[in-house]
Amino acid sequence: MTLEIENYDAPLGAERQYIVKLEDLEHYVKTLSESKGFKEQYDMLRPGPQKSCVVGMKPENKPKNRYQDLLPYDDSRVVLQKHKNDPNSDYVNASYVDGYKKGTRYICTQGPLDTTIVDFWRMIWQEDVNVIVMTANIIEGGKKKCEKYWPDKISKVSDIIITLQNEMTFIDYTIRNFKLQKVGVSGHRIVRQYQYTAWPDHGVPTYALALINMLKNIQSFQKTQQKWTPWVLHCSAGVGRSGTVMLLDSALEMSLAEGKVDILGILYRMRQQRMNLIETVEQYAFVYRALVEYHFGDISCKPANEMVLYFNKLRQVDPEAKKTGLELQFEKLRKLENPYFQQKCLAALTPNNKNKNRDPYILPPDDGRPVLKTSPPSNYINAVYAYHYGVQNHFVITQYPLSNTVADFWQLLWDTGSSSIVVLNEISNKDEVCAFPFLCVFLPYVSKLLKLHLY
């Protein structure tokens, strides 16, 4: 694939091709990371509408758009079959988008509004869709990003009966299987929804391989179903996170098929079918880095029956590095630490909270810490939520209380509804910043009151 930009309003150099051979990709991405290369490429793509969006701008259709400046192009929009006596019932804010060397691989749409849920399911049925990729949560940052358009058990949307068959929750995403039946039509269809729950709005996932594993699961599902109809993708607006998934999927396919990749070229062509796909430079760079991680990283997710063999291999000493595989793997983890991490821990660094941290370099990020149900500035505690397999926020991890954070510690237990405390360090009376005397006095009584289990 080549990048062809003709009559395109872009800075000088945009006519160049940005095809990278797979063997050069890791070095290329490192070079872009150390310069402003990602931004330079991303800025070549002009934002805003490039073609007509007349249908989406019609007064009758404006209420069907979540954002009035993000509309489908007339020549690539999904056209629904009209209802009788309703000439505007053919509109839904959704666009056909081509994949790598395929026709329409994706249908990119906005997160359904309460008034467009019927249109959403009409589109699913009309296009014979069997995969829905949702890259948003219903509520994010206190704002509703999407309506909950699926049932907990069973519901009827217009003439379509939707039944939830089962639900599987993983650390980063949830899979739901639905059975669809249409009144007056024999038989049923199976639709699988993948909801990626660990993706912040306007940001990127923490772990690229989790997203790639989800993409592989989708491909495996469609192969099992022997049904390769377009995926429906949506976030809130249907441009940023949805665009990132489509770009990564197509770039991954190109890299595997040709041993080279043209991320800018793929995104340029996708943007001819839906405006503003990929909202930030961070999302654009994420696709590059995800490809590097897939092709050059250590795929540590193994089947259970291979774990003993894999572990024994990691215990062996690498003759060149003179370190075990476990040591090398741990070093890679240390390198993955975000150099801008403290910028995400602003609450921990405020003057009122600094003295509540036992270690100034071990801080909780603002988007992953419990917020105490007390009035500011005392609603801070050095603690984070942590995942259990398939369960978000299953654990609360915190430092051993300081003498000035004992009250916050008990408030944390009360707010989170915790019934177990696991103490993993030795307790010493000689520790001047240790809350041992306070805890020692109150633990026996409070544990009985709150029915706590102490370990």
Side-chain angles (χ1 to χ4, degrees):
M1 297 179 77
T2 58
L3 174 60
E4 298 174 357
I5 302 181
E6 298 178 1
N7 301 320
Y8 184 57
D9 183 14
L12 290 175
E15 68 278 2
R16 290 185 295 158
Q17 296 179 3
Y18 289 85
I19 302 175
V20 186
K21 292 181 180 179
L22 199 53
E23 59 264 32
D24 299 328
L25 184 62
E26 191 171 17
H27 176 71
Y28 182 72
V29 171
K30 186 175 185 293
T31 301
L32 291 181
S33 300
E34 293 171 349
S35 63
K36 296 182 179 179
F38 291 124
K39 186 177 188 304
E40 178 185 321
Q41 287 188 18
Y42 182 76
D43 286 348
M44 292 177 183
L45 300 167
R46 189 175 60 189
Q50 312 296 311
K51 296 186 287 185
S52 67
C53 309
V54 174
V55 177
M57 296 175 66
K58 292 172 65 174
E60 299 85 356
N61 292 331
K62 279 190 174 183
K64 301 177 185 178
N65 300 312
R66 182 174 290 276
Y67 303 99
Q68 298 305 316
D69 59 341
L70 295 171
L71 307 175
Y73 294 134
D74 294 328
D75 64 359
S76 57
R77 75 181 183 92
V78 176
V79 180
L80 299 177
Q81 296 173 358
K82 292 182 181 179
H83 287 316
K84 292 181 180 179
N85 304 319
D86 187 355
N88 298 301
S89 57
D90 69 342
Y91 178 76
V92 62
N93 191 315
S95 309
Y96 295 113
V97 179
D98 294 340
Y100 168 70
K101 287 193 175 179
K102 291 181 175 70
T104 301
R105 179 176 177 84
Y106 318 103
I107 293 174
C108 192
T109 185
Q110 66 182 17
L113 298 161
D114 183 54
T115 54
T116 65
I117 291 176
V118 172
D119 297 330
F120 179 84
W121 285 110
R122 284 174 60 206
M123 178 177 69
I124 298 297
W125 186 271
Q126 175 184 302
E127 301 297 320
D128 198 15
V129 169
N130 67 342
V131 168
I132 300 171
V133 180
M134 175 179 181
T135 54
N137 294 290
I138 300 298
I139 303 293
E140 294 177 350
K143 297 180 181 179
K144 181 170 281 191
K145 294 292 182 175
C146 175
E147 289 294 327
K148 185 175 179 291
Y149 54 84
W150 64 91
D152 292 324
K153 292 183 179 179
I154 186 171
S155 68
K156 185 178 180 183
V157 179
S158 185
D159 58 351
I160 300 174
I161 301 169
I162 307 159
T163 305
L164 175 64
Q165 293 185 308
N166 54 62
E167 179 175 297
M168 297 167 285
T169 303
F170 302 94
I171 290 178
D172 298 284
Y173 58 91
T174 297
I175 297 176
R176 301 181 183 93
N177 289 315
F178 299 101
K179 180 174 73 174
L180 268 60
Q181 297 167 286
K182 190 176 178 69
V183 176
V185 178
S186 61
H188 69 272
R189 299 176 184 175
I190 299 299
V191 174
R192 176 172 284 189
Q193 181 207 48
Y194 294 79
Q195 183 186 5
Y196 202 93
T197 52
W199 195 327
D201 191 17
H202 299 289
V204 296
T206 304
Y207 308 106
L209 284 180
L211 182 59
I212 291 175
N213 286 337
M214 189 184 81
L215 296 178
K216 292 169 70 175
N217 192 298
I218 293 173
Q219 294 165 3
S220 177
F221 170 73
Q222 287 199 313
K223 185 177 181 180
T224 301
Q225 295 284 307
Q226 289 293 298
K227 187 175 179 180
W228 289 272
T229 52
W231 310 356
V232 162
L233 300 99
H234 76 83
C235 39
S236 182
V239 292
R241 289 176 277 188
S242 300
T244 306
V245 173
M246 293 189 296
L247 180 58
L248 175 57
D249 180 61
S250 290
L252 185 60
E253 286 213 347
M254 180 182 179
S255 69
L256 292 171
E258 299 188 29
K260 58 186 178 182
V261 69
D262 178 16
I263 292 176
L264 183 60
I266 295 172
L267 180 55
Y268 171 73
R269 279 184 293 280
M270 284 183 168
R271 280 200 174 191
Q272 307 312 300
Q273 296 175 293
R274 188 166 177 86
M275 72 172 75
N276 289 6
L277 292 177
I278 306 283
E279 287 184 296
T280 66
V281 176
E282 188 182 16
Q283 291 173 349
Y284 181 73
F286 171 81
V287 175
Y288 272 108
R289 291 179 176 133
L291 287 178
V292 170
E293 191 166 342
Y294 177 80
H295 286 291
F296 302 100
D298 181 9
I299 308 299
S300 57
C301 183
K302 304 291 182 183
N305 61 353
E306 295 180 14
M307 279 305 299
V308 174
L309 183 65
Y310 178 61
F311 178 66
N312 287 334
K313 183 180 178 182
L314 288 176
R315 293 169 63 187
Q316 297 175 8
V317 176
D318 183 282
E320 293 184 8
K322 301 188 185 313
K323 296 179 181 179
T324 65
L326 289 169
E327 291 174 310
L328 294 172
Q329 199 173 73
F330 187 71
E331 287 178 1
K332 286 183 179 179
L333 285 173
R334 295 297 294 267
K335 289 179 181 179
L336 290 175
E337 291 181 357
N338 191 335
Y340 307 107
F341 184 74
Q342 288 202 345
Q343 296 178 13
K344 298 182 178 182
C345 308
L346 299 180
L349 295 171
T350 61
N352 290 324
N353 294 331
K354 274 188 175 182
N355 67 342
K356 296 181 180 181
N357 303 309
R358 184 174 287 274
D359 187 318
Y361 297 102
I362 301 178
L363 307 173
D366 295 332
D367 60 356
R369 66 180 181 87
V371 177
L372 301 180
K373 295 177 182 178
T374 53
S375 301
S378 60
N379 62 1
Y380 170 79
I381 186 170
N382 190 312
V384 293
Y385 287 113
Y387 293 114
H388 181 47
Y389 177 74
V391 182
Q392 293 187 23
N393 301 344
H394 183 75
F395 299 108
V396 179
I397 301 175
T398 186
Q399 64 186 17
Y400 191 84
L402 297 163
S403 58
N404 63 325
T405 64
V406 173
D408 296 332
F409 177 81
W410 291 115
Q411 184 71 46
L412 175 70
L413 261 71
W414 182 267
D415 290 350
T416 58
S418 299
S419 59
S420 299
I421 303 173
V422 180
V423 183
L424 297 173
N425 58 286
E426 294 291 335
I427 300 173
S428 173
N429 281 314
K430 297 179 181 179
D431 185 352
E432 295 182 358
V433 292
C434 180
F436 171 78
F438 299 92
L439 289 180
C440 192
V441 171
F442 289 111
L443 270 176
Y445 302 101
V446 178
S447 63
K448 291 180 181 178
L449 181 64
L450 298 181
K451 297 182 180 180
L452 284 169
H453 298 280
L454 307 176
Y455 302 91

